[in-house]
Structures are given as C-alpha cells and as structure tokens.
Amino acid sequence: MKKRKSIMTALCVTVLASVALTACGSNSTEQLNPKDNGSSGGSKTLTFWRAGTDAPEKAYWTRVIQEFEASHPGVKVNYSEVPFGNDMETKLNAAYASGTAPDVLSYTLASVAQRANLGQYEPLDSYTDKWDGKSDMMESVLNTGTYKGKVYGLGFIPDPRVLLWRKDLFEAAGLDPEKPPASWEELAKDAELLTKKDGDTTVMAGLAIPTANAWTFWQSFVLQNGGKIIDADKNEPLFDSPESIEATQYIVDLVKKGVTIPNDSAKSNENLFPNGKAAIAYDSPAAYVNTQKDHPELAGKIGVSGPIERKTKATFAGMRLLFMSSQSKQKDLAFEFMQTVMSKEETWNRYKELGTPVVLNSLKDDYIKDKPEMNQAVFDAVSYGEGAAKVTYSSKMYEIISQHLEAAFYNTKSAEQAMKDAAAELKKELPNLITN
C-alpha cells in the first residue's frame, strides 16, 4: 500500500474542520431496519465529520469508509470535512441546535470539556467496558478522552512534541552531532552557540521559540519543571506558581538573547524548523518527516529524541479523538465504525499511510522496530505527554497565557508579572467562562 504522510498540526486548541462528502459502509451485526434514520430499502446512513482538509488524510478516510461500506452491506457513511478554525465550531453548533449532529466526529482534545458538559458527546463507557480493544490502548491515550470519570473520546491521532536537532549544524558549531542537549542549561548553551545573526537580526535560530501563540511550547517547560497549568476541579489557575514562573523566565531570557526568530506557532509557513531556519526545536514527528522530505539534502542529518527531563519527564502532546454524538440514532453502528478505526490493523495502516504515532501497546515493538531512529522517542512522548487542559474555557485560558507571554518577550512586563497578570485575568473572567 502506498505510503501517505500528513502534517499533523497541534495544537491545538484553536483549530477546527471543513466539509466534503463521500459514501461508505460497514459490517454490522445488527438487523438493518428500513425505517432507521429515515432511510428505505433496508439501509442505514452513518454521518462522519472530521476536522481537517489535507489531501493525504482525505485519501485515508476515503479508503477506510469504502472498506467499511463493503463489509457492511446496506450501510452508507456520509463523510464531511471542515478546515480547522471557527468554521467547525459554527457548523457543529448549528447542527446540534437543529438536531442534525454527525453520528461520529473526529475532533480535538480541546472540545472535550465544553461539549461533554453540554451533553453533546455520548459517554462511551457502556461500549468500551465490553470492548476488548480498550485494554490495548495506551493508558495516557485512554486518559486523554476521559472526563469527569467517563470516557467520551477515543484518541487515535497523537501529536506529541519531541526534541529535533540539526546534526549538520551541531557538527559545524563543534558540538557532538549525536548528543542533543540533556538539560535546560545545556539547551540554553547550545542554542546560543548555534544562533546565527546578521547584525542584530537572527537569521538562524539556535532554538525555535514561538513568540506568538506560544502556549504549547511554554506548557512543555512548565510541566518539565514540575508545574501544572490548572486545577480543573477547583477552576484555579496554577500558571503563576514558582515552577511556572521559573519556566517562563527561562524561555523569556532565551528570547531576549535573540536565539529565535519571531514567529507565530499557529501559522505553518512561520514554523522555523521545517523551513530550515532553526537548529533545535520542540516539534511534532511530522516536522521531522516533512523537513527531510522538503529538504532532501537534510536526509539523515536530523536527530530526534524525547524532550529534556528536568524535575519530571513531560512534554506537550496534542490528540485528535473520535467522539459519538449524543443525538446519534445509530449509536451501535457508530461505535462499530469507531472500533474499526481503532483496530490494530487500522492503527498500523494509519501509521504507514499518514505517519501517525500508534496508540496501542500491542504495536509498540513493531512501531519502534520500523523506524528506531525516531519511533522510540515518539512512543515515549505519547506515553508521558499532556495535551490541552480539559476545561470548558481552555481556549480563552491559553489565549490569555499567550498574550502575557508575548508581553514578556517584548519587555512590556517581567516574566513573573506576566504570569501573575495572566492568572489574575483568568480569575476575573472565570465567572463568565465556566460551564457546569
């Protein structure tokens, strides 16, 4: 089968999906009812939406749906995709309001708290408790889709941050190309040494630090330093803790030394490492693959390892999950489709076609053996990674954090004051943000 690869963009928390239609089916053990879903002739229709519009993933879903339809006579899967962004939120809100929400949805971790609280996502425990595949899921992945003690989503496309470095630039700077920085101190030292400037302008970043929408990068360092972002049970911001302030100060100091080039992490065309403008980066496995694909001269010259461990081993890890709508009239069939996507065979197909990390323990050895130079680090990052906070106001919270980080980067306020002001602003806004 021809390999297909796609850039899996994190984070993150602000993006959502667009629409294209396709038909497919599935192997159901149910007796098909001509009256189901308003269909006739003994057929059933399953509606599936996914966030994203990239061509490789569209091709992947086209195949999956065609095979599902072929093995489930009488079942049609109507497929839609929407670009990441406000379009998906608007489309979903309208669909739930009109009672036309999709049966199955591929969407972001950031949506869990909000839509579960609104009763729009169906709790899956009655299905997962009887599903053998649950015990094969990595614990961190299963926990990602769990909210308030119930399973609402099945994580299937992880997007962890790993440490990438340019071996050729390390060697040119007199550093060991096989030895990435192993501590915050080494990272800072190497980043300064690897930075190249034309006068006061940085033309090669020693370390790719986003100066806008920096929250995913920042979160990795806070977690490594033993800090937390939020106490979700108490709705208490924790990013003004000593651990968080220390991590923020570390990043701000590096920015002020000019080790990065100003960039917005939400814009792929500004992503420094894949564009050949950074020597070290915390980025996704897709960045590792695509940098070498887009720059053949760099093949074999990029290293990948797990993020630096400080007080604890941690990194940011985004996740896309499969959700079932509470409005679905085909819940059993919907979960059967989800099971198909989560199967061992399909998880491996997804890795081979799209390069997505595996989420099943039973595939660990095969996954690492396939590309040992990167997959051990990726598997580990998925295992201990942590994604966006599961609170209804996560989007607003990270917007506040990013705004105050930017102020610190550009000397409007100190790192400590930035975090204290960010926490104070969130506390002030919480009464208007909390959805019970």
Side-chain angles (χ1 to χ4, degrees), residues 51-282:
T53 58
D54 56 288
E57 191 173 336
K58 180 179 181 179
Y60 167 79
W61 285 116
T62 299
R63 177 192 62 75
V64 170
I65 292 172
Q66 287 174 346
E67 292 177 2
F68 188 75
E69 178 178 282
S71 63
H72 289 70
V75 174
K76 173 182 282 190
V77 178
N78 284 339
Y79 168 65
S80 296
E81 56 184 32
V82 186
F84 281 105
N86 290 331
D87 288 352
M88 177 62 101
E89 284 293 289
T90 301
K91 185 176 177 66
L92 277 175
N93 290 339
Y96 278 112
S98 62
T100 58
D103 297 291
V104 181
L105 174 69
S106 166
Y107 204 33
T108 59
L109 170 61
S111 72
V112 175
Q114 178 185 4
R115 297 200 178 274
N117 275 337
L118 291 172
Q120 295 175 348
Y121 286 166
E122 180 75 11
L124 301 175
D125 302 84
S126 61
Y127 293 97
T128 58
D129 287 348
K130 297 179 288 186
W131 174 46
D132 291 340
K134 177 182 178 180
S135 61
D136 194 19
M137 288 182 67
M138 295 170 64
E139 183 179 2
S140 60
V141 175
L142 185 61
N143 289 341
T144 297
T146 302
Y147 177 66
K148 293 186 176 180
K150 296 181 179 180
V151 176
Y152 283 96
L154 301 179
F156 74 110
I157 297 184
D159 186 23
R161 297 298 177 266
V162 290
L163 187 70
L164 306 178
W165 74 95
R166 288 272 302 272
K167 294 182 179 182
D168 56 329
L169 297 181
F170 268 56
E171 191 168 16
L175 297 170
D176 185 343
E178 303 301 327
K179 185 182 178 184
S183 66
W184 280 13
E185 291 73 24
E186 287 184 9
L187 178 61
K189 182 179 179 181
D190 290 354
E192 288 187 68
L193 184 62
L194 291 160
T195 299
K196 296 179 181 178
K197 295 186 178 185
D198 182 2
D200 292 331
T201 303
T202 301
V203 294
M204 172 62 73
L207 174 62
I209 302 174
T211 51
N213 290 304
W215 70 268
T216 58
F217 181 90
W218 167 86
Q219 180 167 313
S220 290
F221 285 86
V222 173
L223 296 175
Q224 289 169 19
N225 204 36
K228 295 294 182 183
I229 311 304
I230 191 89
D231 183 331
D233 294 331
K234 298 179 180 178
N235 288 306
E236 183 73 21
L238 301 176
F239 38 87
D240 57 348
S241 68
E243 293 82 4
S244 172
I245 291 171
E246 182 182 18
T248 305
Q249 186 68 62
Y250 174 81
I251 298 169
V252 168
D253 287 345
L254 287 173
V255 171
K256 290 182 178 180
K257 289 177 181 178
V259 305
T260 193
I261 297 170
N263 69 97
D264 185 341
S265 68
K267 298 177 180 178
S268 59
N269 66 326
E270 294 189 17
N271 194 351
L272 299 180
F273 196 87
N275 287 302
K277 295 181 179 179
I280 307 173
Y282 275 120

Side-chain angles (χ1 to χ4, degrees), residues 335-352:
F335 191 73
E336 191 166 345
F337 180 76
M338 296 168 76
Q339 277 184 276
T340 298
V341 177
M342 296 299 300
S343 68
K344 185 174 180 178
E345 178 184 9
E346 203 48 61
T347 298
W348 189 254
N349 287 341
R350 197 159 49 249
Y351 162 59
K352 300 303 282 186

